[in-house]
């Protein structure tokens, strides 16, 4: 039965994307089928094989070590603030971003990351039927972050038509940056985080190919990555450390605001309707949760967490899931977890539009205008990833 529901869910997700398509006649079916098959294969390997378990175990151990190193720096500055046996979300989950960001800066300075991003992007462009720039941007977004990635393609931004700009922004919203992955692994199982990262990469191409299909000519298919001004090692290190700290502070501020607002709205709804706002969202999202593979008896609570992620951000939703108050089955936990691993929420519209606007004012206005469609596409990517996991778990 779960396979029948999952297949129906897959058809519904792709069908919704097709209904919203800018030009259905231009949709390339072959690359989409190839990428969906790749999602199933890679998802199965990562979740259901010893090789996948070994790979994810190695990645988890690697991030675990990095988080322990980050803890040394955090404890040196903030040691003794938290009571024994207690955990501070800001200190344990957010501040390690500073250290991970510093490592990314070092790998950037040594030209290791640009090499990896460029050639993985070129390989993906052979599979997805899209341009080199779109493929590069998707990989770069998953490593550098949804706002920082646009700096590396600054030269092309002003030249891009609306449809290509949409694909670049959709990739940025569908993926997550490496600097924040370690923080996710504190709240979710590493296998779900890694699986979601891989599936979202292809899912972004699939949904963009349906919602926003177009042809890239040979003349247009040029990839020219902006070379940053030459800086010394310690200049780069200091810059990325401060960038990581800004991200941690920004996320903390967003969490304070969103958690407080949701608590207030929940209280208002409970007082008036006898039902919290999150519970109401759960009922709205329950059919979608059911279609991606969540059993109906868990669909309302799962839908509530999914909706919370969209209206606030993924950290708020992950924290709700990590509390373990819902007693979800393993399969439901896997489905909801992979759904949460992306930047598909309302606040990301402003972040991406602001990042583009800071580099090119005209294009920033264009991005703001298709912001809701951007969120729509990125949310479909999350549902697609959740459906794939529901079928293979």
């Amino acid at each position: 039965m779960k396979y029948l529901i999952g297949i129906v869910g897959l058809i519904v997700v792709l069908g919704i994307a097709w209904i919203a398509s800018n030009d259905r006649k231009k949709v390339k079916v072959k690359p989409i089928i190839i990428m969906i098959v790749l999602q199933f294969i890679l998802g199965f390997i990562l979740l259901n094989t010893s090789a996948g378990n070994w790979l994810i175990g190695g990645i988890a151990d690697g991030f675990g070590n990095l988080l322990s190193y980050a803890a040394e720096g955090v404890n040196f500055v903030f040691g003794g603030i938290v009571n024994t046996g207690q955990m501070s979300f800001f200190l344990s989950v957010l501040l390690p971003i500073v250290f991970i960001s510093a490592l990314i800066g070092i790998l950037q300075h040594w030209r290791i990351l640009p090499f990896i991003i460029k050639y993985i992007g070129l390989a993906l462009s052979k599979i997805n039927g899209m341009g080199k720039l779109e493929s590069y941007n998707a990989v770069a977004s998953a490593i550098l972050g949804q706002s920082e990635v646009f700096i590396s393609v600054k030269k092309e931004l002003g030249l891009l038509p609306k449809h290509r700009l949409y694909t670049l922004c959709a990739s940025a919203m569908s993926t997550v940056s490496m600097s924040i992955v370690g923080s996710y692994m504190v709240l979710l199982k590493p296998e779900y985080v890694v699986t979601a990262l891989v599936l979202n990469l292809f899912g972004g191409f699939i949904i963009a190919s349906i919602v926003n299909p177009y042809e890239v000519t040979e003349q247009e298919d040029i990839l020219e990555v902006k070379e940053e001004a030459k800086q010394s090692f310690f200049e780069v290190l200091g810059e990325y450390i401060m960038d990581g700290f800004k991200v941690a502070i920004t996320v903390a501020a967003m969490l304070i605001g969103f958690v407080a607002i949701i608590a207030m709205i929940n209280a208002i709804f409970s007082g008036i309707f006898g039902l919290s706002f999150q519970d109401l969202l759960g009922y709205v999202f329950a059919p979608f949760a059911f279609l991606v593979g969540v059993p109906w008896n868990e669909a309302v609570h799962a839908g509530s967490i999914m909706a919370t992620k969209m209206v606030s951000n993924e950290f708020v939703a992950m924290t709700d899931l990590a509390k373990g108050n819902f007693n979800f089955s393993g399969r439901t936990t896997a489905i909801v977890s992979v759904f949460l691993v992306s930047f598909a929420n309302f606040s990301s519209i402003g972040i991406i539009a602001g990042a583009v606007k800071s580099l090119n004012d005209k294009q920033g206005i264009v991005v703001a205008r298709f912001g809701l469609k951007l969120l729509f596409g990125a949310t479909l990517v999350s549902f697609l990833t959740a459906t794939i996991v529901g079928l293979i778990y």
Side-chain angles (χ1 to χ4, degrees), residues 44 51 56 62 71 81 83 85 99 139 179 196 262 302 312 318 329 340 380 390:
F44 183 83
I56 289 174
I81 288 181
N83 294 330
F99 173 62
V139 180
S179 64
I262 288 174
S312 55
M318 286 178 187
S329 63
L340 299 182
L380 284 182

Side-chain angles (χ1 to χ4, degrees), residues 209-265:
S209 296
I210 300 172
V211 172
N212 183 47
Y214 54 87
E215 294 281 349
V216 179
T217 65
E218 213 170 295
Q219 292 75 25
E220 293 174 321
D221 196 14
I222 299 170
L223 175 60
E224 186 180 354
V225 180
K226 178 182 178 289
E227 294 287 339
E228 295 185 15
K230 190 68 176 175
Q231 292 177 292
S232 71
F233 175 82
F234 288 103
E235 281 180 312
V236 172
L237 188 59
E239 184 179 304
Y240 273 82
I241 287 172
M242 290 308 300
D243 285 345
F245 186 68
K246 288 173 187 174
V247 170
I249 293 295
T250 301
V251 173
M254 297 283 278
L255 287 174
I256 292 169
F258 275 118
V259 170
I261 288 170
I262 288 174
M264 181 184 72
I265 295 174

